[in-house]
């Protein structure tokens, strides 16, 4: 099983996949893949290696911001191709040793160029076919959480953490735009490779991710639509019914997860802007 995972910066997909591969029950003693834990490959890591090897530049936390994503498009395409070639070699080596070992490949289908302030894609379909992927999964997350992570050292907003409210709102719109372009390009990739494509929120459980990857041909997929606005209204009223409804929803989630791949609406929750009425009084 080979899966391509896409997603914009600020989601930390590779870190999440490493935790999934080390913590989920099916990769521990007694689990289905205990003797063949997933290997996570990240194309950006190989791009960094190729860049450092060619330029002799020291490795830095802000290497992408200050160096790589300032390069011309044609140079970035070359580095991406070199990195993809290296991943193909690694995948073939893994397959030669153990054909059943899962391989997770993390890449961006869409980058944000720091010099030109535009979105660009470095995808090369001829090379991507060499990955022999079984499916493509785009991981998304709330733009507020993504923005918070991109304010950390190495993130695109780190040097501009103090900003105006207007600029902050524009950033959120930019992240929404970036996320939609990443999803669109990933869908294009799946169409060209003729492989299934799924969009999965990062806050789903490991069980949902496992079912989606390893049981997508066995289990049915369902979106669990349940009350959200009404529950929040009841919570504001401190009504005991709020917890009762939430417990019932949790029970349904647990029951359905054992039977199918369940997508949950509150794993993306961007309706967080609250009005402080006291300031208007």
């Amino acid at each position: 099983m080979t899966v391509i995972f896409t997603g914009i910066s600020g989601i930390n997909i590779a870190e999440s996949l490493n935790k999934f591969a080390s913590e989920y029950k099916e990769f521990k003693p007694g689990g289905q893949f205990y003797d063949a834990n997933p290997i996570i490959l990240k194309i950006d890591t190989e791009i960094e290696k190729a860049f450092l090897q060619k330029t002799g530049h020291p490795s830095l936390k802000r290497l992408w911001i200050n160096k790589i994503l300032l390069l011309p498009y044609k140079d970035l395409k070359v580095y991406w191709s070199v990195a993809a070639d290296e991943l193909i070699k690694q995948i073939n080596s893994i397959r030669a040793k153990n054909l059943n070992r899962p391989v997770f490949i993390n890449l961006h289908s869409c980058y944000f160029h720091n010099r030109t302030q535009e979105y660009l894609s470095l995808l090369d379909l001829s090379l991507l076919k060499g990955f022999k992927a079984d499916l493509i999964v785009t991981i998304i997350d709330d733009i507020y959480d993504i923005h918070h992570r991109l304010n950390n050292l190495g993130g695109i907003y780190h040097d501009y953490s103090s900003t105006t409210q207007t600029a902050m709102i524009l950033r959120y719109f930019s992240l929404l735009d970036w996320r939609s372009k990443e999803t669109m390009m990933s869908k294009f990739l799946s169409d060209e490779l003729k492989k299934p494509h799924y969009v999965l929120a990062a806050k789903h459980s490991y069980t949902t991710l496992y079912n989606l990857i390893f049981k997508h041909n066995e289990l049915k997929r369902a979106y669990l639509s349940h009350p959200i606005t009404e529950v929040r209204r009841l919570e504001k009223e401190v009504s005991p019914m709020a917890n009762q409804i939430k417990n019932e929803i949790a029970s349904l989630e647990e029951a359905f997860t054992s039977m199918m791949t369940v997508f949950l609406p509150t794993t993306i929750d961007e309706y967080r802007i609250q009005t402080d009425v006291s300031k208007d009084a």
Side-chain angles (χ1 to χ4, degrees):
M1 172 64 68
T2 300
V3 184
I4 295 175
F5 286 89
T6 65
I8 71 172
S9 297
I11 299 182
N12 297 340
I13 294 176
E15 180 181 330
S16 299
L17 291 176
N18 276 302
K19 289 184 66 177
F20 173 59
S22 63
E23 296 179 5
Y24 189 58
K25 61 183 180 180
E26 294 296 343
F27 308 126
K28 291 184 174 182
Q32 182 178 357
F33 290 97
Y34 173 58
D35 294 326
N37 282 35
I39 291 181
I40 292 88
L41 304 176
K42 187 176 180 181
I43 199 165
D44 283 1
T45 300
E46 301 305 323
I47 292 175
E48 284 184 28
K49 290 179 181 177
F51 175 80
L52 295 175
Q53 183 177 3
K54 182 175 181 179
T55 63
H57 197 281
S59 180
L60 301 171
K61 182 71 174 178
R62 294 177 54 79
L63 184 66
W64 278 85
I65 303 299
N66 292 340
K67 294 294 179 180
I68 296 178
L69 285 177
L70 294 177
L71 294 171
Y73 173 73
K74 63 181 180 61
D75 292 344
L76 288 171
K77 281 286 289 185
V78 171
Y79 281 120
W80 194 96
S81 298
V82 170
D85 272 328
E86 176 58 30
L87 287 191
I88 291 172
K89 293 176 185 176
Q90 293 181 30
I91 293 167
N92 290 337
S93 176
I94 294 166
R95 289 284 168 263
K97 295 174 183 176
N98 187 342
L99 191 60
N100 296 319
R101 189 159 197 177
V103 177
F104 298 160
I105 304 165
N106 177 209
L107 58 84
H108 301 297
S109 64
C110 180
Y111 289 88
F112 184 75
H113 196 277
N114 292 343
R115 187 184 298 279
T116 62
Q117 299 290 291
E118 64 180 336
Y119 301 104
L120 52 88
S121 179
L122 305 176
L123 299 179
D124 185 321
L125 291 174
S126 62
L127 289 171
L128 285 165
K129 289 177 181 177
F131 293 173
K132 299 178 182 178
D134 297 286
L135 69 156
I136 294 96
V137 178
T138 300
I139 304 295
I140 62 173
D141 202 358
D142 295 313
I143 56 172
Y144 306 103
D145 295 325
I146 293 172
H147 181 268
H148 174 74
R149 298 186 195 108
L150 291 177
N151 273 302
N152 295 331
L153 182 61
I156 62 175
Y157 299 133
H158 178 261
D159 292 342
Y160 312 96
S161 54
S162 297
T163 186
T164 65
Q165 185 178 40
T166 300
M168 188 72 70
I169 292 171
L170 290 174
R171 283 185 189 178
Y172 289 147
F173 278 122
S174 295
L175 290 174
L176 282 170
D177 189 33
W178 191 358
R179 190 174 71 187
S180 67
K181 286 180 170 61
E182 179 79 18
T183 303
M184 177 186 69
M185 289 303 302
S186 300
K187 181 64 171 64
F188 165 77
L189 173 60
S190 77
D191 288 343
E192 292 300 310
L193 296 181
K194 295 180 172 53
K195 299 297 179 181
H197 173 241
Y198 303 103
V199 178
L200 185 72
K203 294 180 178 68
H204 276 95
S205 68
Y206 283 160
T207 300
T208 299
L209 178 58
Y210 182 86
N211 288 347
L212 188 64
I213 296 171
F214 297 102
K215 298 186 177 182
H216 69 279
N217 289 326
E218 303 172 27
L219 299 180
K220 291 185 177 180
R221 292 170 293 280
Y223 177 81
L224 182 57
S225 178
H226 60 70
I228 298 175
T229 305
E230 178 65 11
V231 176
R232 287 174 173 162
R233 184 187 69 79
L234 291 170
E235 284 181 321
K236 288 181 180 179
E237 296 178 357
V238 197
S239 170
M241 285 188 64
N243 283 333
Q244 180 181 341
I245 296 173
K246 287 166 68 175
N247 290 335
E248 289 177 359
I249 292 171
S251 297
L252 286 172
E253 290 177 1
E254 184 176 356
F256 284 132
T257 299
S258 63
M259 299 182 291
M260 60 185 70
T261 302
V262 181
F263 297 90
L264 307 175
T266 50
T267 50
I268 286 289
D269 186 11
E270 288 165 346
Y271 186 62
R272 301 187 196 174
I273 300 176
Q274 307 243 344
T275 302
D276 187 348
V277 294
S278 64
K279 292 183 180 180
D280 299 327

